[in-house]
Amino acid sequence: MSDSVWVATFAIACIIIMASISEDTIKKLVDDAFLKYDLNKNGTLDVKEVGVLMNDCMRRKNEPEATIEDIEEFFASIDTDGDGKVTREEMEKLMRLTYRGQSPMKK
């Protein structure tokens, strides 16, 4: 896993840990993420939109922007059905894994 992907995953984990974690909280965090990052408002996140999310996380951690390779690697790890888009369910799964301290990255 590249440093950029790790930092983005860590930043997401920090956001989750700072909140009181419950299923409702996870759903709210995902709703907020989709409101902000679903730029074309189609109900899913494509690789470009995930890249914007990832780079926002990187900036919050004062880290350099992710490379396209980092973004594609991260996207592939959360697009669990491989359809080229991240659904709310896939994002919720990422949040749950991150909260449990598990990496979403495929080995």
Side-chain angles (χ1 to χ4, degrees):
M1 178 183 331
S2 69
D3 289 343
S4 296
V5 173
W6 184 89
V7 170
T9 303
F10 179 76
I12 292 169
C14 289
I15 292 167
I16 295 167
I17 290 168
M18 287 187 282
S20 170
I21 299 304
S22 67
E23 282 300 309
D24 288 340
T25 300
I26 289 172
K27 287 184 185 306
K28 172 80 169 100
L29 289 168
V30 170
D31 286 345
D32 291 349
F34 272 75
L35 280 173
K36 183 172 183 177
Y37 298 107
D38 181 12
L39 304 175
N40 61 9
K41 304 300 180 198
N42 68 350
T44 62
L45 301 179
D46 61 28
V47 69
K48 180 181 177 186
E49 293 163 330
V50 169
V52 173
L53 180 154
M54 189 174 174
N55 280 318
D56 277 358
C57 290
M58 299 298 285
R59 279 189 288 281
R60 288 183 190 145
K61 299 299 293 174
N62 294 318
E63 295 287 337
E65 286 198 356
T67 65
I68 189 65
E69 292 83 11
D70 293 335
I71 293 166
E72 289 171 349
E73 179 184 9
F74 184 66
F75 183 84
S77 74
I78 58 178
D79 177 21
T80 56
D81 64 6
D83 66 356
K85 54 192 170 201
V86 174
T87 63
R88 289 174 184 270
E89 293 78 18
E90 288 168 324
M91 185 64 75
E92 287 174 15
K93 181 179 177 182
L94 167 68
M95 298 282 192
R96 286 185 203 97
L97 285 172
T98 305
Y99 174 67
R100 290 195 304 251
Q102 298 172 343
S103 171
M105 301 304 292
K106 296 175 183 170
K107 306 232 183 225

PDB file of all heavy atoms in Angstrom, residues 27-46:
ATOM      1  N   LYS A  27     -23.869   5.830   8.646  1.00  0.00           N
ATOM      2  CA  LYS A  27     -24.760   6.219   7.553  1.00  0.00           C
ATOM      3  C   LYS A  27     -24.737   7.739   7.352  1.00  0.00           C
ATOM      4  O   LYS A  27     -24.720   8.218   6.220  1.00  0.00           O
ATOM      5  CB  LYS A  27     -26.177   5.722   7.807  1.00  0.00           C
ATOM      6  CG  LYS A  27     -26.310   4.215   7.627  1.00  0.00           C
ATOM      7  CD  LYS A  27     -27.738   3.763   7.780  1.00  0.00           C
ATOM      8  CE  LYS A  27     -27.873   2.266   7.715  1.00  0.00           C
ATOM      9  NZ  LYS A  27     -27.320   1.617   6.556  1.00  0.00           N
ATOM     10  N   LYS A  28     -24.693   8.496   8.435  1.00  0.00           N
ATOM     11  CA  LYS A  28     -24.639   9.961   8.343  1.00  0.00           C
ATOM     12  C   LYS A  28     -23.331  10.414   7.699  1.00  0.00           C
ATOM     13  O   LYS A  28     -23.326  11.313   6.844  1.00  0.00           O
ATOM     14  CB  LYS A  28     -24.789  10.572   9.739  1.00  0.00           C
ATOM     15  CG  LYS A  28     -24.554  12.062   9.818  1.00  0.00           C
ATOM     16  CD  LYS A  28     -25.742  12.861   9.372  1.00  0.00           C
ATOM     17  CE  LYS A  28     -25.598  14.328   9.703  1.00  0.00           C
ATOM     18  NZ  LYS A  28     -25.178  15.151   8.598  1.00  0.00           N
ATOM     19  N   LEU A  29     -22.207   9.814   8.108  1.00  0.00           N
ATOM     20  CA  LEU A  29     -20.920  10.154   7.509  1.00  0.00           C
ATOM     21  C   LEU A  29     -20.916   9.859   6.008  1.00  0.00           C
ATOM     22  O   LEU A  29     -20.406  10.645   5.210  1.00  0.00           O
ATOM     23  CB  LEU A  29     -19.783   9.405   8.202  1.00  0.00           C
ATOM     24  CG  LEU A  29     -19.451   9.860   9.628  1.00  0.00           C
ATOM     25  CD1 LEU A  29     -18.516   8.854  10.292  1.00  0.00           C
ATOM     26  CD2 LEU A  29     -18.847  11.246   9.635  1.00  0.00           C
ATOM     27  N   VAL A  30     -21.485   8.723   5.638  1.00  0.00           N
ATOM     28  CA  VAL A  30     -21.560   8.361   4.213  1.00  0.00           C
ATOM     29  C   VAL A  30     -22.485   9.326   3.472  1.00  0.00           C
ATOM     30  O   VAL A  30     -22.149   9.797   2.379  1.00  0.00           O
ATOM     31  CB  VAL A  30     -21.992   6.894   4.039  1.00  0.00           C
ATOM     32  CG1 VAL A  30     -22.319   6.579   2.584  1.00  0.00           C
ATOM     33  CG2 VAL A  30     -20.897   5.964   4.556  1.00  0.00           C
ATOM     34  N   ASP A  31     -23.621   9.644   4.073  1.00  0.00           N
ATOM     35  CA  ASP A  31     -24.529  10.618   3.447  1.00  0.00           C
ATOM     36  C   ASP A  31     -23.811  11.945   3.212  1.00  0.00           C
ATOM     37  O   ASP A  31     -23.918  12.539   2.132  1.00  0.00           O
ATOM     38  CB  ASP A  31     -25.767  10.855   4.321  1.00  0.00           C
ATOM     39  CG  ASP A  31     -26.757   9.702   4.285  1.00  0.00           C
ATOM     40  OD1 ASP A  31     -26.660   8.839   3.390  1.00  0.00           O
ATOM     41  OD2 ASP A  31     -27.643   9.675   5.167  1.00  0.00           O
ATOM     42  N   ASP A  32     -23.084  12.410   4.228  1.00  0.00           N
ATOM     43  CA  ASP A  32     -22.340  13.671   4.105  1.00  0.00           C
ATOM     44  C   ASP A  32     -21.288  13.585   2.998  1.00  0.00           C
ATOM     45  O   ASP A  32     -21.112  14.528   2.218  1.00  0.00           O
ATOM     46  CB  ASP A  32     -21.677  14.043   5.432  1.00  0.00           C
ATOM     47  CG  ASP A  32     -22.682  14.449   6.502  1.00  0.00           C
ATOM     48  OD1 ASP A  32     -23.875  14.653   6.184  1.00  0.00           O
ATOM     49  OD2 ASP A  32     -22.274  14.534   7.683  1.00  0.00           O
ATOM     50  N   ALA A  33     -20.584  12.452   2.937  1.00  0.00           N
ATOM     51  CA  ALA A  33     -19.561  12.271   1.901  1.00  0.00           C
ATOM     52  C   ALA A  33     -20.196  12.301   0.509  1.00  0.00           C
ATOM     53  O   ALA A  33     -19.660  12.931  -0.406  1.00  0.00           O
ATOM     54  CB  ALA A  33     -18.807  10.957   2.121  1.00  0.00           C
ATOM     55  N   PHE A  34     -21.327  11.645   0.351  1.00  0.00           N
ATOM     56  CA  PHE A  34     -21.976  11.623  -0.955  1.00  0.00           C
ATOM     57  C   PHE A  34     -22.525  12.996  -1.333  1.00  0.00           C
ATOM     58  O   PHE A  34     -22.472  13.394  -2.499  1.00  0.00           O
ATOM     59  CB  PHE A  34     -23.058  10.537  -1.021  1.00  0.00           C
ATOM     60  CG  PHE A  34     -22.521   9.204  -1.461  1.00  0.00           C
ATOM     61  CD1 PHE A  34     -21.769   8.417  -0.605  1.00  0.00           C
ATOM     62  CD2 PHE A  34     -22.742   8.744  -2.743  1.00  0.00           C
ATOM     63  CE1 PHE A  34     -21.250   7.202  -1.011  1.00  0.00           C
ATOM     64  CE2 PHE A  34     -22.238   7.524  -3.166  1.00  0.00           C
ATOM     65  CZ  PHE A  34     -21.488   6.759  -2.302  1.00  0.00           C
ATOM     66  N   LEU A  35     -23.035  13.735  -0.350  1.00  0.00           N
ATOM     67  CA  LEU A  35     -23.494  15.096  -0.642  1.00  0.00           C
ATOM     68  C   LEU A  35     -22.351  15.963  -1.160  1.00  0.00           C
ATOM     69  O   LEU A  35     -22.524  16.753  -2.084  1.00  0.00           O
ATOM     70  CB  LEU A  35     -24.090  15.742   0.615  1.00  0.00           C
ATOM     71  CG  LEU A  35     -25.515  15.357   0.960  1.00  0.00           C
ATOM     72  CD1 LEU A  35     -25.909  15.934   2.320  1.00  0.00           C
ATOM     73  CD2 LEU A  35     -26.482  15.836  -0.111  1.00  0.00           C
ATOM     74  N   LYS A  36     -21.170  15.792  -0.578  1.00  0.00           N
ATOM     75  CA  LYS A  36     -20.034  16.622  -0.945  1.00  0.00           C
ATOM     76  C   LYS A  36     -19.308  16.122  -2.200  1.00  0.00           C
ATOM     77  O   LYS A  36     -18.891  16.926  -3.032  1.00  0.00           O
ATOM     78  CB  LYS A  36     -19.047  16.698   0.214  1.00  0.00           C
ATOM     79  CG  LYS A  36     -17.871  17.604  -0.061  1.00  0.00           C
ATOM     80  CD  LYS A  36     -17.017  17.823   1.167  1.00  0.00           C
ATOM     81  CE  LYS A  36     -15.891  18.797   0.866  1.00  0.00           C
ATOM     82  NZ  LYS A  36     -15.087  19.082   2.046  1.00  0.00           N
ATOM     83  N   TYR A  37     -19.146  14.804  -2.331  1.00  0.00           N
ATOM     84  CA  TYR A  37     -18.259  14.272  -3.367  1.00  0.00           C
ATOM     85  C   TYR A  37     -18.956  13.652  -4.571  1.00  0.00           C
ATOM     86  O   TYR A  37     -18.303  13.407  -5.582  1.00  0.00           O
ATOM     87  CB  TYR A  37     -17.279  13.270  -2.753  1.00  0.00           C
ATOM     88  CG  TYR A  37     -16.391  13.921  -1.730  1.00  0.00           C
ATOM     89  CD1 TYR A  37     -16.564  13.699  -0.379  1.00  0.00           C
ATOM     90  CD2 TYR A  37     -15.380  14.797  -2.123  1.00  0.00           C
ATOM     91  CE1 TYR A  37     -15.756  14.318   0.572  1.00  0.00           C
ATOM     92  CE2 TYR A  37     -14.570  15.425  -1.182  1.00  0.00           C
ATOM     93  CZ  TYR A  37     -14.767  15.175   0.161  1.00  0.00           C
ATOM     94  OH  TYR A  37     -13.975  15.801   1.078  1.00  0.00           O
ATOM     95  N   ASP A  38     -20.245  13.390  -4.490  1.00  0.00           N
ATOM     96  CA  ASP A  38     -20.968  12.870  -5.655  1.00  0.00           C
ATOM     97  C   ASP A  38     -21.273  14.057  -6.569  1.00  0.00           C
ATOM     98  O   ASP A  38     -22.377  14.596  -6.589  1.00  0.00           O
ATOM     99  CB  ASP A  38     -22.245  12.142  -5.225  1.00  0.00           C
ATOM    100  CG  ASP A  38     -23.021  11.552  -6.393  1.00  0.00           C
ATOM    101  OD1 ASP A  38     -22.474  11.500  -7.515  1.00  0.00           O
ATOM    102  OD2 ASP A  38     -24.183  11.153  -6.174  1.00  0.00           O
ATOM    103  N   LEU A  39     -20.259  14.466  -7.299  1.00  0.00           N
ATOM    104  CA  LEU A  39     -20.318  15.716  -8.058  1.00  0.00           C
ATOM    105  C   LEU A  39     -21.386  15.716  -9.147  1.00  0.00           C
ATOM    106  O   LEU A  39     -21.998  16.740  -9.419  1.00  0.00           O
ATOM    107  CB  LEU A  39     -18.938  16.024  -8.656  1.00  0.00           C
ATOM    108  CG  LEU A  39     -17.796  16.103  -7.631  1.00  0.00           C
ATOM    109  CD1 LEU A  39     -16.461  16.286  -8.341  1.00  0.00           C
ATOM    110  CD2 LEU A  39     -18.045  17.201  -6.608  1.00  0.00           C
ATOM    111  N   ASN A  40     -21.624  14.559  -9.764  1.00  0.00           N
ATOM    112  CA  ASN A  40     -22.643  14.493 -10.814  1.00  0.00           C
ATOM    113  C   ASN A  40     -24.006  14.043 -10.283  1.00  0.00           C
ATOM    114  O   ASN A  40     -24.949  13.895 -11.040  1.00  0.00           O
ATOM    115  CB  ASN A  40     -22.193  13.598 -11.978  1.00  0.00           C
ATOM    116  CG  ASN A  40     -21.934  12.169 -11.553  1.00  0.00           C
ATOM    117  OD1 ASN A  40     -22.236  11.764 -10.428  1.00  0.00           O
ATOM    118  ND2 ASN A  40     -21.367  11.398 -12.462  1.00  0.00           N
ATOM    119  N   LYS A  41     -24.093  13.833  -8.976  1.00  0.00           N
ATOM    120  CA  LYS A  41     -25.352  13.512  -8.281  1.00  0.00           C
ATOM    121  C   LYS A  41     -26.066  12.291  -8.853  1.00  0.00           C
ATOM    122  O   LYS A  41     -27.282  12.229  -8.901  1.00  0.00           O
ATOM    123  CB  LYS A  41     -26.303  14.725  -8.275  1.00  0.00           C
ATOM    124  CG  LYS A  41     -25.688  15.973  -7.680  1.00  0.00           C
ATOM    125  CD  LYS A  41     -25.268  15.750  -6.247  1.00  0.00           C
ATOM    126  CE  LYS A  41     -24.642  17.014  -5.660  1.00  0.00           C
ATOM    127  NZ  LYS A  41     -23.849  16.745  -4.470  1.00  0.00           N
ATOM    128  N   ASN A  42     -25.267  11.262  -9.221  1.00  0.00           N
ATOM    129  CA  ASN A  42     -25.877  10.038  -9.751  1.00  0.00           C
ATOM    130  C   ASN A  42     -26.037   8.949  -8.694  1.00  0.00           C
ATOM    131  O   ASN A  42     -26.459   7.846  -8.991  1.00  0.00           O
ATOM    132  CB  ASN A  42     -25.089   9.499 -10.951  1.00  0.00           C
ATOM    133  CG  ASN A  42     -23.720   8.987 -10.572  1.00  0.00           C
ATOM    134  OD1 ASN A  42     -23.247   9.189  -9.444  1.00  0.00           O
ATOM    135  ND2 ASN A  42     -23.061   8.330 -11.507  1.00  0.00           N
ATOM    136  N   GLY A  43     -25.668   9.249  -7.438  1.00  0.00           N
ATOM    137  CA  GLY A  43     -25.862   8.296  -6.355  1.00  0.00           C
ATOM    138  C   GLY A  43     -24.694   7.353  -6.126  1.00  0.00           C
ATOM    139  O   GLY A  43     -24.759   6.506  -5.241  1.00  0.00           O
ATOM    140  N   THR A  44     -23.632   7.475  -6.927  1.00  0.00           N
ATOM    141  CA  THR A  44     -22.424   6.664  -6.750  1.00  0.00           C
ATOM    142  C   THR A  44     -21.212   7.584  -6.910  1.00  0.00           C
ATOM    143  O   THR A  44     -21.333   8.716  -7.384  1.00  0.00           O
ATOM    144  CB  THR A  44     -22.336   5.529  -7.785  1.00  0.00           C
ATOM    145  OG1 THR A  44     -22.266   6.088  -9.100  1.00  0.00           O
ATOM    146  CG2 THR A  44     -23.521   4.571  -7.669  1.00  0.00           C
ATOM    147  N   LEU A  45     -20.050   7.082  -6.505  1.00  0.00           N
ATOM    148  CA  LEU A  45     -18.803   7.816  -6.682  1.00  0.00           C
ATOM    149  C   LEU A  45     -17.962   7.108  -7.733  1.00  0.00           C
ATOM    150  O   LEU A  45     -17.747   5.892  -7.643  1.00  0.00           O
ATOM    151  CB  LEU A  45     -18.018   7.888  -5.368  1.00  0.00           C
ATOM    152  CG  LEU A  45     -18.715   8.561  -4.187  1.00  0.00           C
ATOM    153  CD1 LEU A  45     -17.808   8.529  -2.958  1.00  0.00           C
ATOM    154  CD2 LEU A  45     -19.124   9.975  -4.515  1.00  0.00           C
ATOM    155  N   ASP A  46     -17.498   7.862  -8.727  1.00  0.00           N
ATOM    156  CA  ASP A  46     -16.589   7.293  -9.710  1.00  0.00           C
ATOM    157  C   ASP A  46     -15.154   7.560  -9.254  1.00  0.00           C
ATOM    158  O   ASP A  46     -14.919   8.165  -8.206  1.00  0.00           O
ATOM    159  CB  ASP A  46     -16.873   7.832 -11.110  1.00  0.00           C
ATOM    160  CG  ASP A  46     -16.705   9.342 -11.234  1.00  0.00           C
ATOM    161  OD1 ASP A  46     -15.903   9.939 -10.484  1.00  0.00           O
ATOM    162  OD2 ASP A  46     -17.385   9.933 -12.094  1.00  0.00           O
TER     163      ASP A  46
END
